[in-house]
Amino acid sequence: MSAGEQGPVAGVPGRNWAGNVRYAATRRHRPSSVDELRRLVAGSDRVRAVGTGHSFNRLGDTTGDLVSLAGLPPTVEVDRERHTVTVAAAVRYGDLATRLHAAGYALPTMASLPHISVAGAVATATHGSGVGIGNLATAVAALELVTADGELLTVRRDTDGDRFAGMVVALGALGVVTRVTLDVMPAFDVRQYVRLDLPRAALDEAFASAYSVSLFTDWRGDRIGQVWRKQLADAPPPADDWLGTTAAAGPVHPVPGMPAGNCTAQLGEPGPWHERLPHFRLGFTPSSGDELQSEYHLPRAVAADALAALDPVADRIAAVLQVSELRTVAADELWLSPQYGRDSLAVHFTWTGDADAVAPVVAEVERRLAPYAPRPHWGKVFTLDPAAVADTYPRHADFLALLHDLDPAGKFRTDLLDHYFPISGGRLPPGRGGWRVAPPG
């Protein structure tokens, strides 16, 4: 069946990666050129681009035209004078990193999994971990996108200032991004050590102990089960009794029962940045695969109190949890970034795939975190009140104005966007924009 017809199109997914969202698009497309994409966008009433489908909600869904950019040339262009790389939107971070490393360059951070597309990860402020490291979007120096009228627009950090800061983490609401320019740095090597059984009182010291640190817990006790320390290769290894922990005897996976071979090399074996900063290897299943995910970003200053607020419901969390990850992300000035204006603790939950069992626990977690101004990861499961979310984003009204300016007819809007960024006070109709598991078939 050719692109544009109703029904399946080769290379255009019908569901998200987790399988809990079935896309509602009536037409699917896989253009092979930017000009073809521009004509498609100009002629559509409703259109959304889909990348690798790693969102767990309906942020990327539409009832109109669903577009995969995987058919565009997967260009990667390194500019050695500007220390940047310009990459096609659909290129996965793992593939970009391999090309960059071969050229002697690196990105400052990677997400937990390298399987995600550059444009999709940037649009949702996806991140890694590190007290001094921003999310993936903070490396963006320029964006090229197709706007609602089919025109090709380029915005740059050095020329578009404040407007640029509103367009980087934009949730796909301002246009279809075709190319992204990222800052790069010289390539470097990393050693990864996994330590076990960290006292919660040592969280701050643990996070500050290495280039990138992630903590994993099952909420079944008052200690952190695993500490993944990703340190620069020339830094000394952790002491045998580091923070009262013990060294993992062999490679581990953060999700119980999953094969450690899916994960990046541990035990202090040095290796390139892009083969250590992610938790999972590009050619293998990331995380567990059968899951739902939620994540909330809190000011680091209230991290201890926020975690303590969840302790009374730890048993409820553990009952529907595969693993929980704690990470740090540095503050930035991108309007819709969950780290806007504040250094943050990211509290991540990898739930079981049972949406009915998970839903009331998500609601309880959100209720208990509410006093600490949580901001959700835009691509994951959350049900926070729209007014409460808006109150945590000082530039929320400015983004609404930008939406009206660049997409006055709402061509790129979705039910989820209407819920959290209502143009005229509308709210999500019952049963729309949700994240419940789609039926098989």
Side-chain angles (χ1 to χ4, degrees), residues 34 38 142-156 160 163 167 174-179 402 405-406:
V34 172
R38 293 175 61 187
L143 291 172
E144 177 187 272
L145 67 158
V146 177
T147 57
D149 56 6
E151 293 301 310
L152 199 60
L153 173 67
T154 299
V155 291
R156 303 181 185 279
D160 292 286
R163 179 180 168 96
M167 295 184 67
L174 303 178
V176 177
V177 172
T178 53
R179 299 205 305 169
L402 195 56
D405 182 30
L406 286 177

Side-chain angles (χ1 to χ4, degrees), residues 12-37:
V12 185
R15 295 171 182 252
N16 67 337
W17 172 78
N20 68 301
V21 173
R22 176 185 291 165
Y23 298 128
T26 55
R27 296 169 301 277
R28 301 175 191 170
H29 309 261
R30 196 173 189 267
S32 58
S33 70
V34 172
D35 285 343
E36 183 182 350
L37 173 65

Side-chain angles (χ1 to χ4, degrees), residues 267-360:
L267 304 179
E269 178 187 344
W273 58 279
H274 65 293
E275 295 179 359
R276 297 295 182 274
L277 294 181
H279 301 329
F280 306 107
R281 298 165 63 190
L282 183 60
F284 294 80
T285 300
S287 194
S288 74
D290 181 16
E291 65 199 71
L292 299 168
Q293 293 184 12
S294 300
E295 187 172 60
Y296 304 94
H297 299 259
L298 311 161
R300 278 194 65 200
V302 302
D305 290 341
L307 293 176
L310 296 178
D311 284 339
V313 292
D315 288 346
R316 292 188 64 190
I317 293 172
V320 292
L321 184 74
Q322 298 191 51
V323 74
S324 182
E325 182 177 7
L326 308 178
R327 288 177 284 181
T328 55
V329 193
D332 60 60
E333 297 302 318
L334 305 176
W335 295 1
L336 292 190
S337 163
Q339 291 80 45
Y340 178 88
R342 66 192 201 190
D343 293 331
S344 299
L345 174 76
V347 184
H348 174 97
F349 301 91
T350 296
W351 308 109
T352 67
D354 186 345
D356 290 335
V358 167

Side-chain angles (χ1 to χ4, degrees), residues 75-80 82-88 96 99-100 105-107 139 141-142 179-184:
T75 54
V76 175
E77 302 167 358
V78 175
D79 187 327
R80 294 183 180 275
R82 295 179 179 271
H83 305 291
T84 61
V85 61
T86 299
V87 57
L96 167 62
R99 296 275 299 274
L100 271 182
Y105 288 102
L107 298 169
R179 299 205 305 169
V180 182
T181 300
L182 303 168
D183 297 328
V184 296

Side-chain angles (χ1 to χ4, degrees), residues 180-245:
V180 182
T181 300
L182 303 168
D183 297 328
V184 296
M185 59 192 291
F188 58 97
D189 285 348
V190 171
R191 296 178 188 265
Q192 180 166 234
Y193 295 89
V194 176
R195 305 289 300 192
L196 307 178
D197 204 24
L198 177 79
R200 190 190 286 182
L203 254 63
D204 284 344
E205 190 174 351
F207 277 130
S209 69
Y211 185 80
S212 175
V213 177
S214 294
L215 313 182
F216 292 94
T217 180
D218 59 9
W219 289 95
R220 296 185 184 275
D222 59 359
R223 296 172 78 89
I224 303 298
Q226 298 179 12
V227 181
W228 289 44
R229 297 180 76 253
K230 302 168 189 283
Q231 64 180 57
L232 298 180
D234 58 359
D240 290 343
D241 60 349
W242 180 77
L243 298 182
T245 64

